[in-house]
Amino acid sequence: MSAEQVSGLSPSGRAPLVSRAAALLAGDWRYVPIATAIVLIWAFFALQNPAYLTPRNLSNLCLQSVVTGLLALGLVPVLLVGQIDMSVAAMSAVAATITGQLLLVERVSVWLAIAAGVLFGGCVGFLQARWITWTGTPAFLVTFGVSLALAALQLHLLPVTGQINLYGTDIVVLAGAYLPAGLSWALVIFAVLAFAAFRLSAFVESRDAGLEASVRSVVLPTFLVMVGLAVVVGALNMHNGVPIALLLFVVPIIVLVYIGSHTKFGLYLYATGGNPSAVARAGIDVDRIRIAAFVICGMFAAFGGIVGASRLLGVSAQSSGMGTLLLEAITAAVVGGTSLFGGRGSPWSALFGALAITSISNGIDLLGLGTEVKLATQGLVLVLATSVDSVANKFANDAR
Amino acid sequence: MDGRELRRDAAAPVDADNAPLMQLRGISKHFGGVTALDRIELKLFPSEIVAIVGDNGAGKSTLIKAISGNQPPDSGTFLFNGKLVEIRTPQDASRVGIETVYQDLALCDNLDTVQNLFLGNEKITSLRSGRRLNHALMESTAREALRDIGVATIRSLRSPVGRLSGGQRQGIAICRCILRDPRVVLLDEPTAALGVEQRQGVVRLIKRLKSESRSVIVISHDLHDVVLEVADRIVVLRLGRKVAEFQRTGINASDLVAAITGVQHFARGDVRSDTSANRMARE
Ligand SMILES: Nc1ncnc2c1ncn2[C@@H]1O[C@H](COP(=O)(O)OP(=O)(O)O)[C@@H](O)[C@H]1O
Ligand SMILES: [Mg+2]
């Protein structure tokens, strides 16, 4: 049976320009809009105040984006499976409190204290996901309820002063330390080589399987990664160096990106967000995938809170739990291109999204515009980002 | 008239010397007070295409869901190659070699063609290369399989299937099922959402399944282009009961319509003219 015979099963002609552009934006060019947005934001604030684009402020900006970014990173798998976790901010606060109290009161080692906090996040994530999948209650409501309970738990755990002072404890290793310049360059070389090797093996596998493959798919991305890393590390080394906290954010992103595109579990995260009943009929335990997503989310939320405590050298009900952290984290993930409708997105969206919104709030602070401008802008960005997501989702559904 | 048709079945079993590949015995299913399936008996022989027809609510989908393990029946048994088998989940069905092309196709619109074709059945690289998803092997296998069944014209196997046409999506759903090398393929209304030309593509695929010595059970409302075109045997359901069973040879659409509705002289003239058109189309 030849292909012509079944022309009924094929479209003919070229796709219209709009849908070709949409395909590009969904594929290789996925980060072009958000990267452009970041450049525009930077240009705008740099014109207002030259202090904005200094290595010192950029380094500060990176550190500021890490906490939001870690929460957003945890949200990515949950959003991918088409759910939401409204408890991430409260979770980060409680985990930071647990870690802080273990350090101060129990005097356990810093790693044990961190592990306990992260473990707590994972457990709460598991419990709420088990409840959601078992009862079928919308995740929005369950996790929102849990976040109130977590806020209460934090108040209970905090001493009567309402805050924990972590000054002088070992927790400072997370957010207060920087890589020596030599080590950072060695890491860059290692990262570029690893990336090139990975690309090369994909190229060889494609070629051996008889697929179209070109060496350009190895050389060009490797070159871009090399230039990008060199610029970032060079700029950061002009101030204190590469913050350890940035590594604690970027390395998990790379791990999650790998899981997302090279493991069954990662594939099932996307598939579950796309069509859960199809996934179930393919013999995959959908509930387990969803639960795993919430566990990852809880752990990253907890870790984000602990890194935040390390940065501020303290925990209070205000520092991490309340305020706008939750909405910032959701906005970051969505601004970065992870859809609220499930099945679309990437861990990189946490990095780009967190950088974008932190760049805005950092700039507003620098210009001394005050909280009202900041709140209004954050709200506007949230509405804008989710609207773009919704329109894109509608477009994807109409495209057929 | 039901009795007459059932007797006809008894008088002319398909390949009487052949053992049936699959046999359903007394399959019943109730939803509250509704009897969706009432003691259904059904045999399926090797390389045979059986069409199931019936009005809306007759129980066709429920029967398919029972066989595919999506909705186990309340009572009744399955025999496969003469042996009793338990089918409670889609995986049980898969294990004995039954694969289903669902009415909704069960595709993930956000995944690409290759990912959909291998969903739940992924190929993994060797331990030495880290037991990753073997993207390259899956893509080349997919390319070959799609070309094989004549759906080679999907422009990019790496773009989301949500952007493809109805016919292409149907082709992918059927291809996915073929990749698992089933003995029995169940198809629930495979042409319902398709245009004329795409419908012919699907009909060709069904015939191809038979030529590969697979057995097929197909649900369809499309009496002319699908049922009378491909089926060896036609089973009529009405309100959960098997009311008639025909060999394809020697019946026409008006017999079928009468059996489906239970009205013998239903729009006789119209049906007859339909039937002659159908005959012409077949010749
Ligand atoms: N999940 C269900 N819950 C309750 N009733 C159902 C369910 N599935 C099917 N039915 C009922 O069973 C009968 C047969 O339905 P179905 O198998 O879908 O018919 P068909 O596919 O032939 O149109 C109908 O009366 C339908 O309302
Ligand atoms: Mg039906």
Side-chain angles (χ1 to χ4, degrees), chain A residues 305-365:
Chain A
I306 295 165
V307 172
S310 162
R311 203 168 83 77
L312 301 172
L313 290 178
V315 186
S316 72
Q318 285 79 41
S319 66
S320 33
M322 301 297 145
T324 56
L325 185 57
L326 167 66
L327 287 183
E328 275 176 39
I330 295 174
T331 311
V334 176
V335 164
T338 294
S339 173
L340 286 172
F341 297 92
R344 211 153 38 78
S346 149
W348 289 118
S349 66
L351 178 69
F352 288 113
L355 262 185
I357 64 167
T358 311
S359 298
I360 294 174
S361 50
N362 176 295
I364 291 172
D365 285 344

Side-chain angles (χ1 to χ4, degrees), chain B residues 1 5 53-56 58 220-221 223 234-239 243-244 246 253-263:
Chain B
M1 64 152 251
E5 283 149 9
V53 297
D55 228 335
N56 285 330
S220 185
H221 284 296
L223 299 186
I234 301 161
V235 170
V236 183
L237 296 188
R238 194 191 309 142
L239 298 175
V243 294
F246 302 100
S254 68
D255 298 334
L256 279 181
V257 171
I260 290 168
T261 56
V263 182

Side-chain angles (χ1 to χ4, degrees), chain B residues 31 34 36 54-63 65 71 189 219:
Chain B
F31 293 110
V34 179
D55 228 335
N56 285 330
K60 307 181 296 292
S61 293
T62 307
L63 182 60
K65 285 178 191 160
Q71 212 173 60
E189 308 224 11
I219 294 180

